[in-house]
Amino acid sequence: MTRIVLVLHGPNLNLLGSREPATYGNITLAQINAELATRGEQSGVEVVSFQSNHEGVLIDQIHAAGAAGVGYIIINPAGFTHTSVALRDALLAAGIPFVEVHLSNTHAREPFRHRSYFSDIASGVIVGLGAAGYRYALDHAVAALSRADVTA
Ligand code: DQA
Protein backbone atom coordinates (compact mmCIF):
# COMPACT_ATOMS: atom_id res chain seq x y z
CA MET A 1 0.00 0.00 0.00
CA THR A 2 1.18 3.49 -0.83
CA ARG A 3 2.64 5.66 1.92
CA ILE A 4 2.60 9.02 0.14
CA VAL A 5 0.48 11.91 1.45
CA LEU A 6 -0.02 14.90 -0.85
CA VAL A 7 -0.65 18.25 0.86
CA LEU A 8 -2.23 20.79 -1.48
CA HIS A 9 -2.39 24.47 -0.62
CA GLY A 10 -4.58 26.81 -2.65
CA PRO A 11 -4.28 30.48 -3.60
CA ASN A 12 -2.69 33.11 -1.35
CA LEU A 13 -1.45 30.54 1.14
CA ASN A 14 2.08 31.26 -0.11
CA LEU A 15 1.63 34.55 1.76
CA LEU A 16 1.13 32.94 5.18
CA GLY A 17 3.21 34.68 7.80
CA SER A 18 2.45 38.13 6.43
CA ARG A 19 -1.12 37.67 5.21
CA GLU A 20 -3.80 38.85 7.68
CA PRO A 21 -1.93 37.49 10.73
CA ALA A 22 -4.89 38.13 13.02
CA THR A 23 -6.83 35.58 10.97
CA TYR A 24 -4.15 33.16 9.81
CA GLY A 25 -1.38 33.50 12.40
CA ASN A 26 2.32 34.13 11.92
CA ILE A 27 3.46 30.73 10.74
CA THR A 28 4.75 30.56 7.19
CA LEU A 29 3.85 27.94 4.60
CA ALA A 30 7.48 26.76 4.57
CA GLN A 31 7.28 26.14 8.32
CA ILE A 32 4.01 24.22 7.97
CA ASN A 33 5.44 22.08 5.17
CA ALA A 34 8.70 21.39 7.02
CA GLU A 35 6.81 20.33 10.13
CA LEU A 36 4.58 18.00 8.13
CA ALA A 37 7.57 16.48 6.33
CA THR A 38 9.27 15.71 9.67
CA ARG A 39 6.11 14.36 11.23
CA GLY A 40 5.52 12.19 8.16
CA GLU A 41 9.08 10.85 8.28
CA GLN A 42 8.61 9.92 11.95
CA SER A 43 5.41 8.07 11.01
CA GLY A 44 6.83 6.28 7.98
CA VAL A 45 5.04 8.25 5.27
CA GLU A 46 6.40 10.58 2.63
CA VAL A 47 4.72 13.99 2.68
CA VAL A 48 4.76 15.94 -0.59
CA SER A 49 3.55 19.55 -0.30
CA PHE A 50 2.50 21.76 -3.18
CA GLN A 51 1.02 25.26 -3.38
CA SER A 52 -0.46 27.06 -6.36
CA ASN A 53 -2.45 30.20 -6.98
CA HIS A 54 -3.89 28.60 -10.12
CA GLU A 55 -6.93 26.34 -10.17
CA GLY A 56 -5.83 24.34 -13.24
CA VAL A 57 -2.39 23.66 -11.77
CA LEU A 58 -3.98 22.24 -8.61
CA ILE A 59 -6.28 20.11 -10.78
CA ASP A 60 -3.27 18.80 -12.72
CA GLN A 61 -1.61 17.79 -9.44
CA ILE A 62 -4.73 15.88 -8.40
CA HIS A 63 -4.88 14.12 -11.78
CA ALA A 64 -1.24 13.07 -11.43
CA ALA A 65 -1.63 11.93 -7.82
CA GLY A 66 -2.97 8.46 -8.51
CA ALA A 67 -0.14 7.51 -10.87
CA ALA A 68 2.37 9.03 -8.44
CA GLY A 69 1.21 6.62 -5.75
CA VAL A 70 -0.49 9.12 -3.48
CA GLY A 71 -2.69 7.32 -0.95
CA TYR A 72 -4.12 10.32 0.86
CA ILE A 73 -4.60 14.03 0.16
CA ILE A 74 -4.77 16.90 2.62
CA ILE A 75 -6.13 20.00 0.94
CA ASN A 76 -6.72 23.59 1.92
CA PRO A 77 -8.43 24.87 -1.23
CA ALA A 78 -8.37 28.41 0.25
CA GLY A 79 -10.56 30.76 -1.82
CA PHE A 80 -11.42 27.93 -4.23
CA THR A 81 -13.25 26.24 -1.35
CA HIS A 82 -16.20 28.48 -1.99
CA THR A 83 -16.12 28.53 -5.79
CA SER A 84 -14.57 25.52 -7.47
CA VAL A 85 -16.74 22.82 -8.97
CA ALA A 86 -13.74 21.89 -11.13
CA LEU A 87 -11.46 21.10 -8.18
CA ARG A 88 -14.25 19.12 -6.55
CA ASP A 89 -14.70 17.12 -9.75
CA ALA A 90 -10.95 16.44 -9.93
CA LEU A 91 -10.99 14.99 -6.41
CA LEU A 92 -14.03 12.87 -7.24
CA ALA A 93 -12.32 11.63 -10.41
CA ALA A 94 -9.09 10.78 -8.57
CA GLY A 95 -11.00 8.83 -5.94
CA ILE A 96 -8.21 9.40 -3.39
CA PRO A 97 -9.52 10.03 0.15
CA PHE A 98 -8.85 13.52 1.46
CA VAL A 99 -9.16 15.77 4.49
CA GLU A 100 -10.18 19.42 4.01
CA VAL A 101 -8.30 21.83 6.26
CA HIS A 102 -8.82 25.52 6.96
CA LEU A 103 -6.65 27.56 9.28
CA SER A 104 -9.48 29.91 10.22
CA ASN A 105 -12.96 29.01 11.37
CA THR A 106 -14.72 29.72 8.10
CA HIS A 107 -18.12 29.32 9.79
CA ALA A 108 -17.40 32.29 12.06
CA ARG A 109 -16.58 34.52 9.08
CA GLU A 110 -18.50 36.03 6.16
CA PRO A 111 -21.52 33.99 4.97
CA PHE A 112 -19.91 33.25 1.60
CA ARG A 113 -17.20 31.29 3.45
CA HIS A 114 -19.75 28.99 5.13
CA ARG A 115 -20.25 27.03 1.92
CA SER A 116 -17.64 24.52 0.79
CA TYR A 117 -17.66 22.55 -2.44
CA PHE A 118 -15.54 19.89 -0.71
CA SER A 119 -16.89 19.14 2.75
CA ASP A 120 -19.56 16.63 1.73
CA ILE A 121 -17.07 14.49 -0.21
CA ALA A 122 -14.16 14.79 2.28
CA SER A 123 -13.27 12.06 4.79
CA GLY A 124 -13.21 14.84 7.35
CA VAL A 125 -12.99 18.60 7.73
CA ILE A 126 -10.81 20.54 10.18
CA VAL A 127 -11.49 24.26 10.55
CA GLY A 128 -10.29 26.97 12.87
CA LEU A 129 -7.40 25.17 14.58
CA GLY A 130 -4.64 27.00 12.74
CA ALA A 131 -1.58 25.09 11.55
CA ALA A 132 -2.34 22.32 14.07
CA GLY A 133 -5.19 21.33 11.77
CA TYR A 134 -2.68 20.06 9.21
CA ARG A 135 -0.98 17.94 11.89
CA TYR A 136 -4.27 16.37 12.92
CA ALA A 137 -5.11 15.71 9.27
CA LEU A 138 -1.74 14.04 8.74
CA ASP A 139 -2.23 11.88 11.84
CA HIS A 140 -5.56 10.77 10.39
CA ALA A 141 -4.00 10.02 6.98
CA VAL A 142 -1.22 7.97 8.59
CA ALA A 143 -3.74 5.98 10.62
CA ALA A 144 -5.92 5.39 7.56
CA LEU A 145 -2.96 4.27 5.45
CA SER A 146 -1.77 1.98 8.24
CA ARG A 147 -5.19 0.39 8.47
CA ALA A 148 -5.12 -0.12 4.69
CA ASP A 149 -1.73 -1.84 5.09
CA VAL A 150 -3.18 -4.21 7.65
CA THR A 151 -6.22 -5.09 5.56
CA ALA A 152 -4.31 -5.31 2.24
C1 DQA B 1 -8.91 29.51 4.27
C2 DQA B 1 -10.30 30.11 4.40
C3 DQA B 1 -10.80 30.62 3.05
O1 DQA B 1 -12.08 31.18 3.18
C4 DQA B 1 -9.86 31.68 2.52
O2 DQA B 1 -10.27 32.08 1.23
C5 DQA B 1 -8.44 31.28 2.52
C6 DQA B 1 -7.92 30.48 3.65
C7 DQA B 1 -8.33 29.10 5.65
O3 DQA B 1 -7.37 28.33 5.65
O4 DQA B 1 -8.82 29.54 6.68
O5 DQA B 1 -7.66 31.66 1.65
O6 DQA B 1 -8.99 28.34 3.48
Side-chain angles (χ1 to χ4, degrees), residues 10-118:
N12 302 307
L13 294 174
N14 54 311
L15 301 179
L16 286 179
S18 60
R19 173 193 184 199
E20 299 178 78
T23 302
Y24 298 116
N26 295 308
I27 195 165
T28 66
L29 192 62
Q31 288 170 327
I32 290 173
N33 289 340
E35 198 189 307
L36 291 176
T38 304
R39 199 176 182 84
E41 220 168 276
Q42 288 162 354
S43 311
V45 306
E46 183 185 351
V47 176
V48 178
S49 296
F50 182 83
Q51 188 275 334
S52 179
N53 295 319
H54 305 278
E55 190 174 22
V57 175
L58 292 165
I59 290 170
D60 288 344
Q61 285 290 319
I62 294 167
H63 289 181
V70 172
Y72 225 98
I73 293 174
I74 296 167
I75 184 167
N76 182 346
F80 292 142
T81 306
H82 321 295
T83 64
S84 184
V85 174
L87 257 181
R88 173 193 172 95
D89 285 348
L91 286 161
L92 284 171
I96 299 169
F98 72 93
V99 177
E100 175 186 354
V101 174
H102 299 284
L103 294 150
S104 65
N105 180 356
T106 48
H107 299 288
R109 300 181 63 192
E110 306 96 315
F112 68 83
R113 294 187 203 274
H114 299 178
R115 174 173 185 189
S116 165
Y117 278 93
F118 301 87

